[in-house]
Short mmCIF file of all heavy atoms in Angstrom, two decimals:
data_model
loop_
_atom_site.label_atom_id
_atom_site.label_comp_id
_atom_site.label_asym_id
_atom_site.label_seq_id
_atom_site.Cartn_x
_atom_site.Cartn_y
_atom_site.Cartn_z
N GLY A 203 0.79 -1.22 0.00
CA GLY A 203 0.00 0.00 0.00
C GLY A 203 0.82 1.28 0.00
O GLY A 203 0.41 2.29 0.55
N GLY A 204 2.02 1.25 -0.59
CA GLY A 204 2.87 2.43 -0.58
C GLY A 204 3.70 2.55 0.67
O GLY A 204 4.29 3.59 0.93
N HIS A 205 3.80 1.48 1.45
CA HIS A 205 4.49 1.51 2.75
C HIS A 205 5.53 0.39 2.77
O HIS A 205 5.76 -0.23 3.80
CB HIS A 205 3.44 1.27 3.85
CG HIS A 205 3.76 1.86 5.18
ND1 HIS A 205 4.78 1.41 5.98
CD2 HIS A 205 3.19 2.87 5.86
CE1 HIS A 205 4.81 2.09 7.11
NE2 HIS A 205 3.85 2.99 7.06
N GLY A 206 6.17 0.16 1.61
CA GLY A 206 6.84 -1.12 1.46
C GLY A 206 8.35 -1.17 1.36
O GLY A 206 8.87 -2.24 1.07
N VAL A 207 9.08 -0.07 1.55
CA VAL A 207 10.53 -0.17 1.38
C VAL A 207 11.10 -1.22 2.32
O VAL A 207 11.82 -2.14 1.90
CB VAL A 207 11.20 1.20 1.61
CG1 VAL A 207 12.72 1.06 1.45
CG2 VAL A 207 10.67 2.24 0.63
N ALA A 208 10.81 -1.10 3.60
CA ALA A 208 11.31 -2.09 4.57
C ALA A 208 10.51 -3.38 4.51
O ALA A 208 11.08 -4.48 4.55
CB ALA A 208 11.28 -1.50 5.97
N LEU A 209 9.19 -3.28 4.44
CA LEU A 209 8.35 -4.48 4.47
C LEU A 209 8.60 -5.37 3.27
O LEU A 209 8.60 -6.60 3.38
CB LEU A 209 6.88 -4.09 4.57
CG LEU A 209 6.43 -3.61 5.95
CD1 LEU A 209 5.12 -2.84 5.86
CD2 LEU A 209 6.29 -4.79 6.92
N ALA A 210 8.80 -4.79 2.10
CA ALA A 210 9.08 -5.60 0.91
C ALA A 210 10.42 -6.32 1.05
O ALA A 210 10.55 -7.50 0.68
CB ALA A 210 9.08 -4.72 -0.34
N THR A 211 11.42 -5.62 1.57
CA THR A 211 12.71 -6.26 1.81
C THR A 211 12.57 -7.42 2.78
O THR A 211 13.05 -8.54 2.54
CB THR A 211 13.70 -5.22 2.38
OG1 THR A 211 13.84 -4.14 1.44
CG2 THR A 211 15.05 -5.85 2.64
N TYR A 212 11.90 -7.16 3.88
CA TYR A 212 11.73 -8.14 4.95
C TYR A 212 10.94 -9.35 4.49
O TYR A 212 11.37 -10.51 4.66
CB TYR A 212 11.05 -7.44 6.11
CG TYR A 212 10.59 -8.28 7.27
CD1 TYR A 212 11.48 -8.96 8.07
CD2 TYR A 212 9.23 -8.33 7.60
CE1 TYR A 212 11.05 -9.69 9.17
CE2 TYR A 212 8.79 -9.05 8.70
CZ TYR A 212 9.70 -9.73 9.47
OH TYR A 212 9.27 -10.44 10.55
N LEU A 213 9.78 -9.12 3.88
CA LEU A 213 8.94 -10.24 3.49
C LEU A 213 9.53 -10.99 2.30
O LEU A 213 9.36 -12.21 2.19
CB LEU A 213 7.52 -9.76 3.17
CG LEU A 213 6.72 -9.34 4.41
CD1 LEU A 213 5.32 -8.89 4.01
CD2 LEU A 213 6.63 -10.47 5.43
N GLY A 214 10.24 -10.29 1.41
CA GLY A 214 10.96 -11.00 0.35
C GLY A 214 11.97 -11.97 0.94
O GLY A 214 12.07 -13.13 0.51
N MET A 215 12.73 -11.51 1.93
CA MET A 215 13.70 -12.39 2.59
C MET A 215 13.02 -13.57 3.25
O MET A 215 13.45 -14.72 3.11
CB MET A 215 14.48 -11.58 3.64
CG MET A 215 15.40 -10.51 3.07
SD MET A 215 16.03 -9.38 4.34
CE MET A 215 17.03 -10.51 5.33
N ARG A 216 11.92 -13.30 3.97
CA ARG A 216 11.25 -14.38 4.70
C ARG A 216 10.59 -15.38 3.75
O ARG A 216 10.57 -16.59 4.02
CB ARG A 216 10.22 -13.79 5.66
CG ARG A 216 10.84 -12.94 6.76
CD ARG A 216 11.77 -13.75 7.65
NE ARG A 216 12.49 -12.90 8.60
CZ ARG A 216 13.75 -12.51 8.44
NH1 ARG A 216 14.45 -12.89 7.37
NH2 ARG A 216 14.33 -11.74 9.33
N VAL A 217 10.03 -14.90 2.65
CA VAL A 217 9.45 -15.81 1.66
C VAL A 217 10.55 -16.70 1.07
O VAL A 217 10.36 -17.91 0.87
CB VAL A 217 8.72 -15.02 0.56
CG1 VAL A 217 8.44 -15.89 -0.66
CG2 VAL A 217 7.40 -14.47 1.10
N GLY A 218 11.70 -16.11 0.79
CA GLY A 218 12.81 -16.91 0.30
C GLY A 218 13.22 -17.98 1.29
O GLY A 218 13.49 -19.13 0.93
N GLU A 219 13.25 -17.62 2.57
CA GLU A 219 13.60 -18.60 3.60
C GLU A 219 12.54 -19.69 3.72
O GLU A 219 12.87 -20.87 3.94
CB GLU A 219 13.78 -17.89 4.94
CG GLU A 219 15.02 -17.00 4.98
CD GLU A 219 15.08 -16.11 6.20
OE1 GLU A 219 14.09 -16.10 6.98
OE2 GLU A 219 16.09 -15.41 6.38
N CYS A 220 11.26 -19.32 3.56
CA CYS A 220 10.20 -20.34 3.59
C CYS A 220 10.38 -21.34 2.46
O CYS A 220 10.19 -22.55 2.64
CB CYS A 220 8.83 -19.67 3.48
SG CYS A 220 8.31 -18.79 4.95
N LEU A 221 10.74 -20.84 1.29
CA LEU A 221 10.94 -21.73 0.15
C LEU A 221 12.09 -22.70 0.44
O LEU A 221 12.07 -23.85 -0.04
CB LEU A 221 11.24 -20.89 -1.09
CG LEU A 221 11.32 -21.61 -2.43
CD1 LEU A 221 10.79 -20.71 -3.54
CD2 LEU A 221 12.75 -22.01 -2.74
N LEU A 222 13.05 -22.27 1.24
CA LEU A 222 14.18 -23.13 1.59
C LEU A 222 13.85 -24.08 2.74
O LEU A 222 14.70 -24.83 3.19
CB LEU A 222 15.38 -22.27 1.97
CG LEU A 222 15.95 -21.40 0.85
CD1 LEU A 222 17.03 -20.48 1.39
CD2 LEU A 222 16.50 -22.25 -0.29
N GLY A 223 12.60 -24.01 3.23
CA GLY A 223 12.17 -24.96 4.26
C GLY A 223 12.13 -24.42 5.66
O GLY A 223 11.79 -25.15 6.59
N LYS A 224 12.45 -23.14 5.84
CA LYS A 224 12.38 -22.56 7.19
C LYS A 224 10.93 -22.19 7.52
O LYS A 224 10.10 -22.00 6.65
CB LYS A 224 13.27 -21.33 7.27
CG LYS A 224 14.75 -21.65 7.11
CD LYS A 224 15.61 -20.43 7.32
CE LYS A 224 17.10 -20.76 7.16
NZ LYS A 224 17.96 -19.57 7.36
N GLN A 225 10.65 -22.08 8.80
CA GLN A 225 9.30 -21.77 9.26
C GLN A 225 8.95 -20.32 8.95
O GLN A 225 9.78 -19.41 9.08
CB GLN A 225 9.19 -22.01 10.76
CG GLN A 225 7.79 -21.80 11.32
CD GLN A 225 7.73 -22.11 12.81
OE1 GLN A 225 8.73 -22.48 13.41
NE2 GLN A 225 6.57 -21.95 13.40
N ALA A 226 7.70 -20.10 8.53
CA ALA A 226 7.20 -18.74 8.32
C ALA A 226 7.00 -18.08 9.68
O ALA A 226 6.09 -18.43 10.41
CB ALA A 226 5.88 -18.78 7.54
N ASP A 227 7.88 -17.13 10.01
CA ASP A 227 7.88 -16.60 11.37
C ASP A 227 7.48 -15.13 11.42
O ASP A 227 7.87 -14.40 12.31
CB ASP A 227 9.26 -16.78 12.00
CG ASP A 227 10.36 -16.03 11.23
OD1 ASP A 227 10.09 -15.54 10.13
OD2 ASP A 227 11.48 -15.93 11.77
N THR A 228 6.70 -14.67 10.45
CA THR A 228 6.22 -13.29 10.50
C THR A 228 4.73 -13.26 10.77
O THR A 228 4.01 -14.21 10.42
CB THR A 228 6.49 -12.53 9.18
OG1 THR A 228 5.45 -12.82 8.23
CG2 THR A 228 7.83 -12.91 8.59
N PRO A 229 4.22 -12.20 11.37
CA PRO A 229 2.78 -12.12 11.61
C PRO A 229 1.96 -11.91 10.35
O PRO A 229 0.73 -11.95 10.40
CB PRO A 229 2.66 -10.92 12.55
CG PRO A 229 3.85 -10.07 12.24
CD PRO A 229 4.94 -11.04 11.91
N PHE A 230 2.63 -11.69 9.23
CA PHE A 230 1.91 -11.44 7.97
C PHE A 230 1.64 -12.72 7.20
O PHE A 230 0.95 -12.71 6.20
CB PHE A 230 2.74 -10.48 7.10
CG PHE A 230 3.11 -9.21 7.80
CD1 PHE A 230 4.36 -9.04 8.36
CD2 PHE A 230 2.19 -8.18 7.91
CE1 PHE A 230 4.70 -7.86 9.02
CE2 PHE A 230 2.52 -7.00 8.57
CZ PHE A 230 3.78 -6.84 9.12
N HIS A 231 2.18 -13.84 7.66
CA HIS A 231 2.06 -15.09 6.90
C HIS A 231 0.75 -15.83 7.12
O HIS A 231 0.30 -16.53 6.23
CB HIS A 231 3.23 -16.02 7.22
CG HIS A 231 4.40 -15.85 6.32
ND1 HIS A 231 5.33 -14.86 6.48
CD2 HIS A 231 4.79 -16.56 5.23
CE1 HIS A 231 6.25 -14.94 5.53
NE2 HIS A 231 5.94 -15.97 4.77
N ASP A 232 0.17 -15.74 8.27
CA ASP A 232 -1.03 -16.54 8.53
C ASP A 232 -2.27 -15.69 8.68
O ASP A 232 -3.27 -16.11 9.25
CB ASP A 232 -0.83 -17.43 9.76
CG ASP A 232 -0.48 -16.61 11.00
OD1 ASP A 232 -0.23 -15.41 10.88
OD2 ASP A 232 -0.47 -17.20 12.10
N LEU A 233 -2.25 -14.47 8.13
CA LEU A 233 -3.46 -13.63 8.13
C LEU A 233 -4.45 -14.15 7.10
O LEU A 233 -4.07 -14.56 6.00
CB LEU A 233 -3.10 -12.19 7.77
CG LEU A 233 -2.37 -11.34 8.82
CD1 LEU A 233 -2.06 -9.98 8.23
CD2 LEU A 233 -3.22 -11.19 10.07
N ARG A 234 -5.72 -14.09 7.44
CA ARG A 234 -6.74 -14.45 6.47
C ARG A 234 -6.68 -13.48 5.30
O ARG A 234 -6.60 -12.26 5.50
CB ARG A 234 -8.12 -14.40 7.13
CG ARG A 234 -9.24 -14.81 6.21
CD ARG A 234 -10.53 -14.99 6.97
NE ARG A 234 -11.64 -15.28 6.09
CZ ARG A 234 -12.83 -15.70 6.49
NH1 ARG A 234 -13.05 -15.89 7.79
NH2 ARG A 234 -13.78 -15.93 5.62
N PHE A 235 -6.71 -14.01 4.08
CA PHE A 235 -6.49 -13.19 2.88
C PHE A 235 -7.50 -13.61 1.81
O PHE A 235 -7.17 -14.27 0.83
CB PHE A 235 -5.06 -13.38 2.39
CG PHE A 235 -4.59 -12.36 1.38
CD1 PHE A 235 -5.17 -11.12 1.27
CD2 PHE A 235 -3.52 -12.67 0.55
CE1 PHE A 235 -4.72 -10.19 0.35
CE2 PHE A 235 -3.05 -11.75 -0.38
CZ PHE A 235 -3.65 -10.51 -0.47
#
């Protein structure tokens, strides 16, 4: 929503880690969407 410089960096990193088999450890991963 235009608030993404840090959040995009952070969630991009965490999504990459999830793909490598690590646990999704952010509060944004299990929100109803």
Side-chain angles (χ1 to χ4, degrees):
H205 207 292
V207 179
L209 284 162
T211 300
Y212 172 65
L213 289 180
M215 293 168 65
R216 295 298 173 259
V217 164
E219 291 170 354
C220 287
L221 188 146
L222 296 173
K224 295 185 180 180
Q225 183 178 0
D227 61 350
T228 83
F230 306 99
H231 269 81
D232 57 351
L233 287 177
R234 182 169 175 168
F235 194 23

